[in-house]
Amino acid sequence: MTFSQRTNWNTEESALARAHRTRVQAGLPVADLTASNPTRCGFSYDVQLLAALTDAKALDYDPQPLGLLHTREAVCKYYADHGVTIPPERVVLTTSTSEAYSFLFKLLCDPGSEIVVPLPGYPLFDFLAVLDDVRVKAVRLVYDHGWQIEPEGFRRALTPETRAIVLVHPNNPTGHFTKTWEAEELAMMCRERGIALIVDEVFLDYAFSAEKAVSFAVGLEGIDLYVVSGLSKIAGLPQMKAAWVVATGPNAGQAMERLEVIADTFLSMNAPVQGAIPNWIAGRKAIQREIGERVKANLAVLDKQLGAIPAVRRLEVEGGWYAVLRIPALQTDEMTVLRLLERGVWVHPGYFFGMDEAGWLVISLLGPVEEFRTGVRVLVDYFRTHQGDNNCLPEVEAQL
């Protein structure tokens, strides 16, 4: 049998995944510093949260391609809370941000078209793009007293085949919020080339300082801009599969007409979740506050313990729930992760997010505080014992 080349992936279990599975199956302790699912991190959800799914109105099948009007109005209310006015006719509901990206790739790209994405970044775009016959070109962020976009790197990546630049605001895993000057530089490129800007804002509400949490939904002059977000992070509900796209810019009307046809082709958003979304958006503040407090507490624990070992540095983070560590590049990150796993700690190697093969670890700040404290203690002890006395730590204030 012949399968599509777009699904010609290597599906063999990686050495890291196999080692982790073996340890868990053996019943050995693992302090998980990769946790990304808030529903499994001990947070207190409203006991009435699921009641919104039982509304009898969900028995009436009303196949609205863009999503039910009152649900889209609830999304608009979310942006109004961020000081941005969005009409509901500029919103289309999707079952996930992954589906939102797929809709946008179908809208903007032909087979062989290109999108430009920053690295480090979450390892998702490659799979989504391949499934829509789109090519991904990566541009590295730079670190110089904080993460930054390098405009010239983006300019060099653009070709006649480029259809969109994709940003994550704040970035995952670096926690970098796109600054005003960076947005203006990218907008200039988009205007010059006639291409779109796609901005993923799922972590927008988890800024460490409120003034940074400015939504791109306000738009940028003269460019077509699409904001992607959803309840996975906004309400800590990844299992509910609820997301959306907001379209702004000079061609937003035409874009929405086409997105409506795309959405109508799939009609994927189910009625009970659509009916519940307004309640979940309205009640998001409690879980956001709890997650925010946990992330800040874990970050404080991390910084305190790292103070005892200068060979490992925590890079600046402005939001989200991850931290990037710069470690001595004396062996591959995969080997470091395996050695830490042997001691009962599970972390991400930097290359998982597109960093180099050595010198980087990424840890989640989402897990329970005591488990996090234990994991960081073991991590610090490992580097103190094995790599703490070396003077070979590369400078981080340089291009990754």
Side-chain angles (χ1 to χ4, degrees), residues 19-350:
H20 181 261
R21 175 179 54 78
T22 300
R23 185 176 179 90
V24 171
Q25 289 177 345
L28 297 173
V30 178
D32 187 2
L33 300 188
T34 70
S36 61
N37 181 353
T39 68
R40 294 190 172 183
C41 289
F43 295 110
S44 301
Y45 287 86
D46 186 341
V47 295
Q48 295 298 315
L49 186 144
L50 298 181
L53 293 169
T54 65
D55 193 328
K57 293 179 182 177
L59 292 173
D60 177 25
Y61 180 49
D62 185 11
Q64 297 297 318
L66 297 180
L68 298 176
L69 177 59
H70 78 281
T71 305
R72 289 183 283 126
E73 289 174 338
V75 173
C76 295
K77 176 61 168 59
Y78 166 79
Y79 286 102
D81 291 344
H82 280 278
V84 182
T85 300
I86 298 293
E89 59 268 22
R90 292 291 184 264
V91 178
V92 55
L93 302 181
T94 65
T95 57
S96 64
T97 53
S98 295
E99 185 177 67
Y101 282 120
S102 183
F103 281 12
L104 291 173
F105 294 162
K106 291 176 173 64
L107 171 72
L108 300 170
C109 300
D110 295 312
S113 295
E114 298 174 351
I115 59 169
V116 175
V117 304
L119 285 182
Y122 192 73
L124 175 68
F125 296 117
D126 286 337
F127 290 92
L128 293 174
V130 165
L131 290 173
D132 280 308
D133 295 321
V134 175
R135 294 196 297 266
V136 174
K137 295 187 72 174
V139 177
R140 291 192 177 275
L141 300 175
V142 298
Y143 191 87
D144 186 1
H145 303 286
W147 295 96
Q148 300 178 28
I149 285 173
E150 183 189 27
E152 189 56 34
F154 278 84
R155 287 188 184 278
R156 288 195 301 266
L158 301 179
T159 74
E161 302 304 320
T162 305
R163 298 296 179 84
I165 296 173
V166 180
L167 292 180
V168 182
H169 174 75
N171 179 273
N172 178 17
T174 68
H176 161 258
F177 273 95
T178 306
K179 309 304 184 293
T180 299
W181 72 266
E182 295 171 314
E184 291 173 350
E185 288 282 349
L186 294 174
M188 185 185 306
M189 297 178 209
C190 290
R191 284 192 294 269
E192 291 172 352
R193 298 276 186 158
I195 60 177
L197 182 64
I198 300 172
V199 183
D200 184 327
E201 294 186 344
V202 294
F203 284 107
L204 182 68
D205 294 334
Y206 298 98
F208 294 161
S209 59
E211 69 272 12
K212 294 185 184 297
V214 178
S215 174
F216 272 80
V218 70
L220 291 170
E221 184 179 356
I223 71 167
D224 293 314
L225 190 153
Y226 303 91
V227 172
V228 174
S229 193
L231 296 191
S232 175
K233 307 299 186 298
I234 285 176
L237 296 172
Q239 77 278 35
M240 296 308 176
K241 314 310 296 179
W244 56 79
V245 176
V246 174
T248 73
N251 298 300
Q254 295 180 50
M256 290 304 301
E257 291 176 359
R258 294 171 182 242
L259 282 170
E260 184 169 2
V261 175
I262 294 171
D264 193 30
T265 302
F266 292 92
L267 281 177
S268 52
M269 174 64 76
N270 70 78
V273 168
Q274 284 196 68
I277 286 174
N279 287 26
W280 294 337
I281 289 179
R284 70 190 185 277
K285 293 294 186 179
I287 191 65
Q288 286 184 2
R289 183 164 50 251
E290 193 172 346
I291 291 174
E293 290 171 354
R294 169 82 60 80
V295 167
K296 291 176 182 177
N298 282 342
L299 188 63
V301 167
L302 177 64
D303 287 345
K304 182 177 181 180
Q305 295 203 35
L306 288 182
I309 179 166
V312 178
R313 304 180 192 177
R314 193 267 292 174
L315 274 59
E316 182 177 337
V317 59
E318 299 171 320
W321 57 50
Y322 288 93
V324 177
L325 303 184
R326 191 67 163 116
I327 65 173
L330 304 181
Q331 62 186 10
T332 66
D333 291 344
E334 181 167 317
M335 183 62 67
T336 299
V337 171
L338 285 171
R339 294 293 173 260
L340 287 169
L341 181 61
E342 291 171 356
R343 291 160 174 77
V345 181
W346 183 230
V347 299
H348 284 306

